């Protein structure tokens, strides 16, 4: 079993829909990261959080430490949100990655 | 700042050749990480450095892989001899401090024929 599990693996949505991507982990962590990777592109850090909730524009990330679970929400989704979203947890200095969620938003 | 700079962006070479990937971290960042990304295994940490010193190389697949960081502004990842199964995208990332967001380079897409 992977230490970081994401669901769903693939997700399609119509423009404007509210999107949720889930991440569960089984190890002790100091922080959880959400990353975004566009097709053929580099990786961008969206959020790093260790408790509660963070918001940046249309993106919201939450974490429940007791349940070892995090969610990434996208409100009013847009085709430019199409990307792979990767959850990763910090354990000491290292990141442990989930396998990613491929999101496609259609106009 | 220019961000993390990796070179080359693409590399195609024949099996058995030596491959050298290069990375320039963001100035002032104390941590540097090398990752490999494949369809099968996703992102994997190969090795990371703190203040130019290798801290954990347990992710380096085998002796054919080596990494160095001769100074705070430059690191290399070398594969010798290369094999087709080494084909992947290799990312370098840096962070200011422990447990800070990592800044990724654009990656090097490596194809070994």
């Amino acid at each position: 079993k992977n230490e970081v599990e994401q669901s769903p693996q693939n997700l399609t949505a119509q423009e404007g829909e509210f999107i949720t991507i889930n991440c569960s982990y089984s190890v002790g962590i100091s922080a959880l990261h959400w990353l975004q990777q566009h097709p053929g592109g580099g990786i961008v850090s969206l959020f790093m959080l260790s408790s509660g909730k963070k918001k940046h524009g249309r993106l919201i990330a939450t974490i429940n430490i007791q349940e070892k679970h995090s969610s990434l929400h996208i409100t009013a989704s847009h085709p430019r949100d199409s990307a792979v979203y990767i959850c990763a947890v910090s354990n000491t200095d290292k990141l442990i990655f989930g396998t990613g969620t491929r999101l496609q938003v259609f106009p | 700042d220019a961000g993390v700079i990796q070179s080359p962006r693409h590399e195609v070479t024949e099996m058995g050749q030596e491959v050298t990937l290069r990375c320039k971290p963001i100035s002032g960042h104390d941590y540097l990480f090398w990752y490999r990304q494949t369809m099968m295994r996703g992102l994997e940490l190969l090795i990371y450095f703190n203040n130019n010193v290798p801290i954990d190389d347990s992710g380096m697949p085998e002796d054919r892989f080596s990494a160095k960081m001769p100074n705070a502004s430059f690191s290399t990842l070398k594969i010798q001899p290369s094999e087709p199964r080494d084909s992947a995208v290799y990312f370098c990332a840096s962070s200011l401090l422990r447990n800070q967001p990592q800044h990724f380079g654009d990656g090097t897409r490596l194809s070994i024929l």
Side-chain angles (χ1 to χ4, degrees):
Chain A
K1 191 178 188 303
N2 292 335
E3 293 167 304
V4 181
E5 298 271 0
Q6 285 186 240
S7 64
Q9 285 190 314
N10 295 284
L11 184 56
T12 58
Q14 288 295 123
E15 184 173 355
E17 285 186 6
F18 181 83
I19 288 161
T20 296
I21 300 170
N22 296 299
C23 176
S24 297
Y25 54 92
S26 57
V27 294
I29 69 169
S30 49
L32 184 141
H33 304 248
W34 282 102
L35 310 170
Q36 179 191 56
Q37 184 175 26
H38 280 104
I43 298 170
V44 175
S45 178
L46 297 175
F47 295 103
M48 185 178 103
L49 64 167
S50 53
S51 66
K53 176 175 158 178
K54 286 191 176 181
K55 184 175 189 291
H56 185 256
R58 295 179 295 104
L59 302 179
I60 303 166
T62 64
I63 188 169
N64 184 317
I65 296 293
Q66 286 73 31
E67 294 186 4
K68 295 189 172 180
H69 180 269
S70 174
S71 293
L72 176 68
H73 306 285
I74 305 175
T75 61
S77 60
H78 190 276
R80 64 175 175 265
D81 298 325
S82 298
V84 175
Y85 292 84
I86 303 168
C87 172
V89 299
S90 297
N91 188 323
T92 63
D93 296 331
K94 305 193 295 188
L95 289 180
I96 304 171
F97 297 92
T99 52
T101 295
R102 185 174 301 275
L103 171 66
Q104 289 185 291
V105 182
F106 294 98
Chain B
D1 203 312
V4 175
I5 300 172
Q6 289 187 247
S7 64
R9 288 296 311 275
H10 299 91
E11 174 91 12
V12 180
T13 192
E14 291 188 343
M15 176 178 172
Q17 297 296 307
E18 178 179 290
V19 173
T20 300
L21 311 181
R22 296 172 176 80
C23 176
K24 177 178 165 55
I26 292 173
S27 177
H29 280 195
D30 285 344
Y31 285 83
L32 183 140
F33 304 83
W34 281 102
Y35 296 99
R36 178 171 67 177
Q37 185 178 41
T38 61
M39 289 292 291
M40 289 295 294
R41 299 170 69 91
L43 271 164
E44 301 174 284
L45 176 67
L46 299 176
I47 184 171
Y48 76 95
F49 296 82
N50 176 218
N51 291 322
N52 314 339
V53 176
I55 303 300
D56 186 340
D57 65 354
S58 59
M60 296 284 261
E62 47 197 273
D63 291 346
R64 297 184 297 105
F65 285 69
S66 62
K68 294 183 180 179
M69 192 164 186
N71 57 62
S73 59
F74 184 65
S75 177
T76 60
L77 177 68
K78 190 172 291 190
I79 308 172
Q80 166 65 16
S82 58
E83 296 182 5
R85 62 192 165 120
D86 302 329
S87 298
V89 181
Y90 291 81
F91 286 98
C92 174
S94 69
S95 66
L96 184 60
L97 297 170
R98 181 180 183 177
N99 267 329
Q100 291 290 305
Q102 294 184 17
H103 299 258
F104 286 77
D106 289 336
T108 294
R109 185 173 296 275
L110 177 64
S111 296
I112 308 296
L113 306 178

Short mmCIF file of all heavy atoms in Angstrom, two decimals, chain A residues 57-85:
data_model
loop_
_atom_site.label_atom_id
_atom_site.label_comp_id
_atom_site.label_asym_id
_atom_site.label_seq_id
_atom_site.Cartn_x
_atom_site.Cartn_y
_atom_site.Cartn_z
N GLY A 57 -6.90 32.33 -4.49
CA GLY A 57 -7.76 32.48 -5.66
C GLY A 57 -8.91 31.49 -5.61
O GLY A 57 -9.65 31.43 -4.62
N ARG A 58 -9.04 30.69 -6.67
CA ARG A 58 -10.12 29.71 -6.73
C ARG A 58 -9.74 28.36 -6.10
O ARG A 58 -10.51 27.41 -6.14
CB ARG A 58 -10.53 29.50 -8.18
CG ARG A 58 -11.13 30.74 -8.84
CD ARG A 58 -11.50 30.49 -10.31
NE ARG A 58 -10.33 30.23 -11.13
CZ ARG A 58 -9.97 29.04 -11.58
NH1 ARG A 58 -10.70 27.95 -11.28
NH2 ARG A 58 -8.90 28.90 -12.33
N LEU A 59 -8.56 28.27 -5.57
CA LEU A 59 -8.07 27.03 -4.98
C LEU A 59 -8.15 27.08 -3.46
O LEU A 59 -7.80 28.09 -2.86
CB LEU A 59 -6.62 26.77 -5.40
CG LEU A 59 -6.32 26.68 -6.89
CD1 LEU A 59 -4.84 26.45 -7.12
CD2 LEU A 59 -7.13 25.57 -7.53
N ILE A 60 -8.63 25.96 -2.90
CA ILE A 60 -8.71 25.85 -1.44
C ILE A 60 -8.14 24.49 -1.06
O ILE A 60 -8.48 23.47 -1.66
CB ILE A 60 -10.18 25.92 -0.95
CG1 ILE A 60 -10.83 27.22 -1.41
CG2 ILE A 60 -10.23 25.79 0.58
CD1 ILE A 60 -12.34 27.22 -1.26
N ALA A 61 -7.28 24.47 -0.06
CA ALA A 61 -6.73 23.22 0.46
C ALA A 61 -7.06 23.10 1.93
O ALA A 61 -6.94 24.07 2.68
CB ALA A 61 -5.22 23.16 0.24
N THR A 62 -7.49 21.90 2.30
CA THR A 62 -7.80 21.63 3.71
C THR A 62 -7.06 20.40 4.16
O THR A 62 -6.70 19.53 3.35
CB THR A 62 -9.31 21.41 3.91
OG1 THR A 62 -9.71 20.23 3.21
CG2 THR A 62 -10.12 22.59 3.41
N ILE A 63 -6.82 20.30 5.45
CA ILE A 63 -6.19 19.12 6.00
C ILE A 63 -6.80 18.79 7.35
O ILE A 63 -7.13 19.69 8.13
CB ILE A 63 -4.66 19.30 6.12
CG1 ILE A 63 -3.98 17.99 6.52
CG2 ILE A 63 -4.29 20.42 7.10
CD1 ILE A 63 -2.47 18.00 6.40
N ASN A 64 -7.00 17.49 7.57
CA ASN A 64 -7.48 16.99 8.86
C ASN A 64 -6.40 16.04 9.38
O ASN A 64 -6.25 14.92 8.90
CB ASN A 64 -8.82 16.25 8.70
CG ASN A 64 -9.40 15.80 10.03
OD1 ASN A 64 -8.68 15.29 10.89
ND2 ASN A 64 -10.69 15.98 10.20
N ILE A 65 -5.64 16.53 10.35
CA ILE A 65 -4.48 15.77 10.83
C ILE A 65 -4.92 14.47 11.52
O ILE A 65 -4.29 13.43 11.36
CB ILE A 65 -3.65 16.64 11.80
CG1 ILE A 65 -3.07 17.85 11.08
CG2 ILE A 65 -2.55 15.82 12.46
CD1 ILE A 65 -2.05 17.51 10.04
N GLN A 66 -6.01 14.54 12.27
CA GLN A 66 -6.47 13.35 13.00
C GLN A 66 -6.86 12.24 12.03
O GLN A 66 -6.58 11.06 12.26
CB GLN A 66 -7.65 13.69 13.89
CG GLN A 66 -7.30 14.49 15.14
CD GLN A 66 -6.95 15.93 14.83
OE1 GLN A 66 -7.47 16.52 13.88
NE2 GLN A 66 -6.06 16.51 15.63
N GLU A 67 -7.52 12.63 10.93
CA GLU A 67 -7.97 11.63 9.96
C GLU A 67 -6.93 11.36 8.89
O GLU A 67 -7.15 10.51 8.02
CB GLU A 67 -9.28 12.10 9.32
CG GLU A 67 -10.44 12.17 10.31
CD GLU A 67 -11.76 12.48 9.63
OE1 GLU A 67 -11.80 12.57 8.39
OE2 GLU A 67 -12.75 12.64 10.36
N LYS A 68 -5.81 12.08 8.90
CA LYS A 68 -4.75 11.91 7.91
C LYS A 68 -5.32 12.05 6.49
O LYS A 68 -5.15 11.17 5.63
CB LYS A 68 -4.03 10.57 8.09
CG LYS A 68 -3.27 10.48 9.42
CD LYS A 68 -2.39 9.26 9.52
CE LYS A 68 -1.54 9.34 10.78
NZ LYS A 68 -0.65 8.18 10.93
N HIS A 69 -5.97 13.16 6.28
CA HIS A 69 -6.65 13.37 5.02
C HIS A 69 -6.59 14.84 4.64
O HIS A 69 -6.68 15.72 5.49
CB HIS A 69 -8.12 12.92 5.14
CG HIS A 69 -8.91 13.10 3.89
ND1 HIS A 69 -9.62 14.24 3.61
CD2 HIS A 69 -9.08 12.27 2.83
CE1 HIS A 69 -10.20 14.10 2.43
NE2 HIS A 69 -9.90 12.93 1.94
N SER A 70 -6.45 15.08 3.34
CA SER A 70 -6.45 16.44 2.81
C SER A 70 -7.29 16.47 1.55
O SER A 70 -7.41 15.46 0.84
CB SER A 70 -5.03 16.90 2.50
OG SER A 70 -5.02 18.17 1.86
N SER A 71 -7.87 17.62 1.28
CA SER A 71 -8.61 17.82 0.04
C SER A 71 -8.15 19.10 -0.64
O SER A 71 -7.79 20.08 0.04
CB SER A 71 -10.11 17.93 0.31
OG SER A 71 -10.64 16.71 0.78
N LEU A 72 -8.15 19.05 -1.96
CA LEU A 72 -7.90 20.24 -2.78
C LEU A 72 -9.19 20.53 -3.54
O LEU A 72 -9.72 19.64 -4.23
CB LEU A 72 -6.75 20.00 -3.75
CG LEU A 72 -6.46 21.14 -4.73
CD1 LEU A 72 -5.90 22.35 -3.98
CD2 LEU A 72 -5.47 20.69 -5.80
N HIS A 73 -9.70 21.73 -3.38
CA HIS A 73 -10.93 22.13 -4.06
C HIS A 73 -10.61 23.21 -5.09
O HIS A 73 -9.79 24.09 -4.84
CB HIS A 73 -11.96 22.69 -3.07
CG HIS A 73 -12.27 21.78 -1.93
ND1 HIS A 73 -13.06 20.66 -2.07
CD2 HIS A 73 -11.89 21.83 -0.62
CE1 HIS A 73 -13.16 20.05 -0.89
NE2 HIS A 73 -12.47 20.74 0.00
N ILE A 74 -11.29 23.12 -6.22
CA ILE A 74 -11.21 24.17 -7.23
C ILE A 74 -12.63 24.66 -7.48
O ILE A 74 -13.51 23.88 -7.86
CB ILE A 74 -10.60 23.66 -8.55
CG1 ILE A 74 -9.23 23.02 -8.31
CG2 ILE A 74 -10.47 24.80 -9.56
CD1 ILE A 74 -8.61 22.37 -9.54
N THR A 75 -12.86 25.92 -7.23
CA THR A 75 -14.18 26.49 -7.49
C THR A 75 -14.19 27.11 -8.89
O THR A 75 -13.17 27.56 -9.40
CB THR A 75 -14.51 27.59 -6.46
OG1 THR A 75 -13.54 28.63 -6.55
CG2 THR A 75 -14.48 27.03 -5.04
N ALA A 76 -15.37 27.07 -9.51
CA ALA A 76 -15.55 27.66 -10.86
C ALA A 76 -14.42 27.22 -11.79
O ALA A 76 -13.66 28.04 -12.32
CB ALA A 76 -15.61 29.18 -10.77
N SER A 77 -14.30 25.92 -11.98
CA SER A 77 -13.19 25.37 -12.76
C SER A 77 -13.16 25.93 -14.18
O SER A 77 -14.19 26.31 -14.76
CB SER A 77 -13.27 23.85 -12.79
OG SER A 77 -14.49 23.44 -13.37
N HIS A 78 -11.95 25.95 -14.72
CA HIS A 78 -11.68 26.52 -16.04
C HIS A 78 -10.78 25.57 -16.80
O HIS A 78 -9.97 24.85 -16.19
CB HIS A 78 -11.01 27.89 -15.84
CG HIS A 78 -10.90 28.69 -17.09
ND1 HIS A 78 -9.88 28.52 -18.00
CD2 HIS A 78 -11.71 29.67 -17.59
CE1 HIS A 78 -10.05 29.36 -19.00
NE2 HIS A 78 -11.14 30.06 -18.78
N PRO A 79 -10.88 25.56 -18.15
CA PRO A 79 -9.98 24.67 -18.91
C PRO A 79 -8.50 24.84 -18.57
O PRO A 79 -7.74 23.87 -18.64
CB PRO A 79 -10.28 25.06 -20.36
CG PRO A 79 -11.72 25.45 -20.33
CD PRO A 79 -11.90 26.15 -19.01
N ARG A 80 -8.08 26.01 -18.18
CA ARG A 80 -6.66 26.18 -17.85
C ARG A 80 -6.27 25.49 -16.53
O ARG A 80 -5.09 25.38 -16.21
CB ARG A 80 -6.29 27.66 -17.76
CG ARG A 80 -6.97 28.43 -16.66
CD ARG A 80 -6.46 29.86 -16.56
NE ARG A 80 -7.19 30.64 -15.57
CZ ARG A 80 -8.22 31.41 -15.85
NH1 ARG A 80 -8.64 31.54 -17.12
NH2 ARG A 80 -8.86 32.08 -14.91
N ASP A 81 -7.27 25.01 -15.78
CA ASP A 81 -6.98 24.22 -14.58
C ASP A 81 -6.58 22.78 -14.94
O ASP A 81 -6.18 22.01 -14.05
CB ASP A 81 -8.19 24.18 -13.64
CG ASP A 81 -8.58 25.56 -13.13
OD1 ASP A 81 -7.67 26.39 -12.91
OD2 ASP A 81 -9.79 25.81 -12.95
N SER A 82 -6.74 22.41 -16.19
CA SER A 82 -6.40 21.05 -16.62
C SER A 82 -4.91 20.80 -16.37
O SER A 82 -4.05 21.53 -16.88
CB SER A 82 -6.72 20.85 -18.10
OG SER A 82 -8.11 21.01 -18.34
N ALA A 83 -4.64 19.79 -15.57
CA ALA A 83 -3.27 19.50 -15.15
C ALA A 83 -3.31 18.24 -14.30
O ALA A 83 -4.37 17.68 -14.04
CB ALA A 83 -2.70 20.66 -14.32
N VAL A 84 -2.12 17.81 -13.89
CA VAL A 84 -2.03 16.74 -12.89
C VAL A 84 -1.77 17.40 -11.54
O VAL A 84 -0.87 18.26 -11.41
CB VAL A 84 -0.90 15.75 -13.23
CG1 VAL A 84 -0.74 14.72 -12.11
CG2 VAL A 84 -1.18 15.05 -14.55
N TYR A 85 -2.55 17.02 -10.56
CA TYR A 85 -2.42 17.56 -9.20
C TYR A 85 -1.83 16.46 -8.32
O TYR A 85 -2.36 15.34 -8.26
CB TYR A 85 -3.76 18.05 -8.68
CG TYR A 85 -4.24 19.26 -9.45
CD1 TYR A 85 -4.91 19.12 -10.66
CD2 TYR A 85 -3.96 20.54 -9.00
CE1 TYR A 85 -5.31 20.22 -11.39
CE2 TYR A 85 -4.35 21.66 -9.72
CZ TYR A 85 -5.02 21.49 -10.92
OH TYR A 85 -5.40 22.59 -11.65
#
